Structures are given as C-alpha cells and as structure tokens.
C-alpha cells in the first residue's frame, strides 16, 4: 500500500504553540467528531479537527508513516513558544496489527491542547485560512446497549485455544496470543467523549486514547521516546485482582512474562547504549492483574525516532507471541480462518511530535466505533500450560473495561 500525506489545504501549514493555564483535557473536546486523545492521570494531549493526515499500510507501514510525517513537518512553519515534548505539531498515530492489510493512520488535529508537569499549552495548525471554531455540543450517553458475540463465539474460542495449546505442546512455538471480539449496538450514536471521560475516571493509571474511531484505555506502554531516553512497560501473565504476590510465584505466568520481555530487549539493544529491565512486579487493575516489567534505555547517538523503533519492536510477544514470525503467521491463519480481522487492535497507538519524540501504547481494552455500533477486542497469551476455560475468563475480564462504560 502506498503512503498518502493529505493536508486539508495545499498551502503551507502554520503551527503555533503558546502556554495556557492548566485545563481539564477531556472536558475541552467540543464535539464527538474527529476526537483525539492520549491522557493518563490528567496529563497528556487531546485534539480535534484535522489539518492533515498520513494513511498507509502493509509490511512497511512504519517506514512509510515516518517518511510521510517528515514531509508534512518540513512544509510547516512552526512557532513553538513552549518547547516541550508534545508542543509544536503533533500527529496522533494508530497502526494496524498485521502486515496485511495493515491499515494505519497518522492524523494531525487542527487544535491540540497538552498538559505535562505543571505546564499546559495550546497548538493550532492551520493554512492561510483561519481555523474554524468548533461549536460545542453536549456529551451524550449511548442509551441501552445490546450485545452479541462475533467471529469467535465463546464455545468456538475454547476449541481454538485447545487446538493451539496442542500445537504449543508439540514444541513448535513458545507462545501465541489469540484474540476474540464482541459487538455492541446502542440506541444512540456512541459519543467517544462519553467513553473517554468514564475510562479516565475508572482507569486513571491507564493511557486513555482515541485515534480515528479507536477508543480505549491501555495499561501497556509500547515505547516512550523523550530526548535521549526510551522507556516501555511490558505486561504479560494475567491473573485476578487481589492476588498480591501470588503471580510472582507462578512458574507458568513468569515464563509467559519472560517470553514477552526478552524479545523487546533484543529489539531495542541496537538503538541504545545501555538498557535495563525492572521487574517483574504485579500491576493490579480494576478487573485484572498483570505481571509487569519497566524497561529503560539510553538512546545511541543516532537517536532513532519513535516510529522507527516502533517498527522494530512491533508486534511484541505480549500481543503476538514467540518466536515472532511463526507466531504472527499462526495468528493470521487461525484468526483469519475464523473471519476475525484485528484491524488496529493490539497495534501501536499514541502520538509523535516534530522531533521524533512521543508515546505509543498498545491498543488494548478498546473498541472501534462506527455510529451506534462498537466492536470490542480482547486477547490472551497462550503457552503449553494454558487452560481454555481460564483463558476465556481472562478475555471476559479484559472486555469489562469497555463493557462497563458502555453499559453505564
């Protein structure tokens, strides 16, 4: 698939950033249209409108997105009076999980507002024409929501898990992550602002995101690049809240976690002069707990951009499996055989700025919105010791984040 960089106007884009008083970010979104968000604990970036976008896909989607973003930045006139990561022009990014078709998008909002470490700013991106003011509209609830299973109903999902576990016990692979989806239909069009506010309130330790209709609250940070450092938070090995340190004593969970951490470290080593991993530790969320490891690396002098590193590490073993190539091939065969397309679920999602800094999470605990409909996704990491009933229960716990706010 070719890359398209599409400015709203063909003339030069002007990006102007100035400091403002600290706002409530999610309360600022004026309408449900073209909503963008990356917020955690009240900090992050939101935006609305569209000044430009980069669309791409296929196996080289990260390289194409990087080149398209560079071309857009080069044709901008930038007046950044704040000079922090996330000021100046910013693109919200959401990448397809798989290579085929791998539909991915970078969207540059017309208005961005950010907040970090006691400072806040607004960035407007426009052509020679003035940015049109958005008329605020009230946030609306979806009303009654009806649920139905989709491509992999629970009974069939158990069967597929059992088949994959048999494959794993034969020794061909160490780990495979299998997804399933769930469909919701509401009485009214689903307002992404309604979901974002409730997700942020219920899951303040997650990154609450919205890009091109994909809305969610992810606990997993794929990569953060700020200045000369890269950081990540790896989650793999799940259990139930209140288990305290019990997951740390589970050999199966620790093995699943190790399968996720080691490939990430291997992928980042070429980009770093030093790298360390802190973990595992138990990260408890409202409906599920995970083994987690925080990774920190000092970037090599060449300082690879966020999108370049994302292309190197995606898909991680936490959402694909290990060995990576064989696991992703099996996922495509099994899920594709059942008619399930992940789309941008489990792909990188977040933001990148003109300096190549930014934050990308993994699109988990999310739903793709389309009018009155939402398609939810959840997945589980399968190893040789996995039990189909336990894995099904885990997917239900992961669905709970989005189900809870839609049913409210």
């Amino acid at each position: 698939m070719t890359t398209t960089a599409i400015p709203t106007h063909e003339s030069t884009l002007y990006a102007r950033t100035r400091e403002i008083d600290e706002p409530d970010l999610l309360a600022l979104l004026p309408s449900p249209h073209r909503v963008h968000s990356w917020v955690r604990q009240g900090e992050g970036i939101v935006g609305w409108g569209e000044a430009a976008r980069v669309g791409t896909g296929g196996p080289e989607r990260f390289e194409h997105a990087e080149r398209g973003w560079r071309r857009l930045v080069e044709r901008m006139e930038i007046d950044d009076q704040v000079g922090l990561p996330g000021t100046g022009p910013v693109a919200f990014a959401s990448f397809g999980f798989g290579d085929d078709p791998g539909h991915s998008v970078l969207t540059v909002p017309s208005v961005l507002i950010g907040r970090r470490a006691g400072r806040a700013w607004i960035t407007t991106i426009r052509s020679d024409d003035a940015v049109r003011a958005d008329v605020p509209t009230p946030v609306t609830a979806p009303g009654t929501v009806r649920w139905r299973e989709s491509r992999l109903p629970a009974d069939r999902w158990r069967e597929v898990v059992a088949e994959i576990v048999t494959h794993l016990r034969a020794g061909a692979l160490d780990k495979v992550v299998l997804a399933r989806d769930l469909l919701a239909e509401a009485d009214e069009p689903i307002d992404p602002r309604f979901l974002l506010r409730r997700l942020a309130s219920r899951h303040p330790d997650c990154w609450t995101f919205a890009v091109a209709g994909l809305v969610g609250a992810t606990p997993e940070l794929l990569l953060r690049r700020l200045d000369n450092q890269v950081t990540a938070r790896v989650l793999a090995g799940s259990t139930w809240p209140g288990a305290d340190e019990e997951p740390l004593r589970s050999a199966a969970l620790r093995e699943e976690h190790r399968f996720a951490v080691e490939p990430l470290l291997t992928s980042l080593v070429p980009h770093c002069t030093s790298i360390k991993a802190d973990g595992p530790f138990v990260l408890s969320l409202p409906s599920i707990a995970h083994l987690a490891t925080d990774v920190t690396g000092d970037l090599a002098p060449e300082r690879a951009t966020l999108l370049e590193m994302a292309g190197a590490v995606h898909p991680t073993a936490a959402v694909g499996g290990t060995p990576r190539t064989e696991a992703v091939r099996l996922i495509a065969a099994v899920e594709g055989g059942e008619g399930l397309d992940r789309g941008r679920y489990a792909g990188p999602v977040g933001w990148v700025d003109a300096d190549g800094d930014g934050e990308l999470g993994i699109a988990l605990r999310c739903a793709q919105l389309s009018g009155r409909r939402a398609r939810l996704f959840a997945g589980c990491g399968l190893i040789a010791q996995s039990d189909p009933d336990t894995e099904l229960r885990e997917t239900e716990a992961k669905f709970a984040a989005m189900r809870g706010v839609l049913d409210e």
Side-chain angles (χ1 to χ4, degrees), residues 7-337:
T8 302
H9 302 272
E10 292 302 323
S11 55
T12 299
L13 293 173
Y14 298 87
R16 179 173 181 260
T17 301
R18 59 183 175 84
E19 198 150 2
I20 59 174
D21 293 334
E22 289 190 82
D24 179 348
L25 293 175
L26 293 176
L28 294 174
L29 296 169
S31 80
H33 306 295
R34 294 177 175 174
V35 167
H36 316 278
S37 171
W38 181 261
V39 174
R40 180 176 183 263
Q41 296 179 344
E43 295 193 342
I45 306 175
V46 298
W48 58 89
E50 183 180 292
R53 69 180 182 272
V54 176
T56 187
E60 297 181 344
R61 58 198 178 282
F62 293 96
E63 295 91 333
H64 292 166
E66 173 71 19
R67 289 198 294 269
W69 175 230
R70 289 294 106 211
R71 287 198 296 269
L72 279 175
V73 169
E74 287 167 2
R75 61 181 296 272
M76 291 183 182
E77 291 192 11
I78 301 170
D79 175 16
D80 184 353
Q81 301 173 20
V82 181
L84 294 175
T87 64
V90 165
F92 283 83
S94 179
F95 288 89
F97 172 81
D99 289 347
D100 183 18
H103 291 310
S104 305
V105 63
L106 271 67
T107 302
V108 184
S110 303
V111 180
L112 300 114
I113 297 180
R115 179 181 180 186
R116 180 188 301 275
R119 300 182 70 182
W121 61 90
I122 182 171
T123 299
T124 56
I125 301 176
R126 61 180 182 82
S127 69
D128 293 329
D129 301 319
V131 175
R132 292 184 303 173
D134 287 83
V135 178
T137 60
V139 176
T140 57
T144 301
V145 176
R146 292 162 294 281
W147 297 92
R148 63 184 176 88
E149 294 184 308
S150 185
R151 298 295 185 178
L152 272 173
D155 289 344
R156 176 58 185 155
W157 199 79
R158 285 193 194 93
E159 294 174 356
V160 174
V161 169
E163 293 167 6
I164 292 177
V165 168
T166 299
H167 194 71
L168 294 170
R169 288 174 180 169
L173 293 157
D174 295 319
K175 176 184 176 181
V176 174
V177 180
L178 182 68
R180 56 184 291 240
D181 61 348
L182 189 64
L183 299 179
E185 184 165 353
D187 287 340
E188 304 294 335
I190 300 172
D191 189 333
R193 300 171 300 169
F194 178 88
L195 302 183
L196 289 169
R197 293 182 186 185
R198 281 153 183 77
L199 287 169
S201 175
R202 293 186 178 190
H203 305 275
D205 291 327
C206 294
W207 288 269
T208 302
F209 64 87
V211 182
L214 188 68
V215 177
T218 181
E220 188 155 3
L221 182 67
L222 177 66
L223 292 172
R224 175 190 291 122
R225 179 194 187 269
L226 296 181
D227 298 322
N228 296 314
Q229 194 170 78
V230 60
T231 55
R233 170 165 286 182
V234 183
L235 306 183
S238 304
T239 185
W240 318 117
D244 298 321
E245 300 304 304
E246 181 180 339
L248 295 173
R249 295 189 291 270
S250 168
L253 292 180
R254 288 180 68 92
E255 181 180 30
E256 181 184 346
H257 190 74
R258 178 176 61 82
F259 288 150
V261 173
E262 290 181 353
L264 179 73
L265 294 173
T266 300
S267 296
L268 287 178
V269 162
H271 301 289
C272 297
T273 57
S274 65
I275 193 166
K276 64 178 181 179
D278 180 16
F281 57 90
V282 179
L283 177 67
S284 291
L285 301 170
S287 60
I288 198 166
H290 303 280
L291 287 184
T293 290
D294 286 338
V295 174
T296 305
D298 295 318
L299 287 174
E302 296 81 7
R303 295 183 71 239
T305 68
L306 179 69
L307 297 183
E308 287 170 341
M309 288 187 288
V313 304
H314 175 79
T316 68
V319 293
T322 186
R324 179 163 70 178
T325 300
E326 291 80 0
V328 171
R329 186 180 297 123
L330 181 60
I331 289 168
V334 172
E335 294 180 359

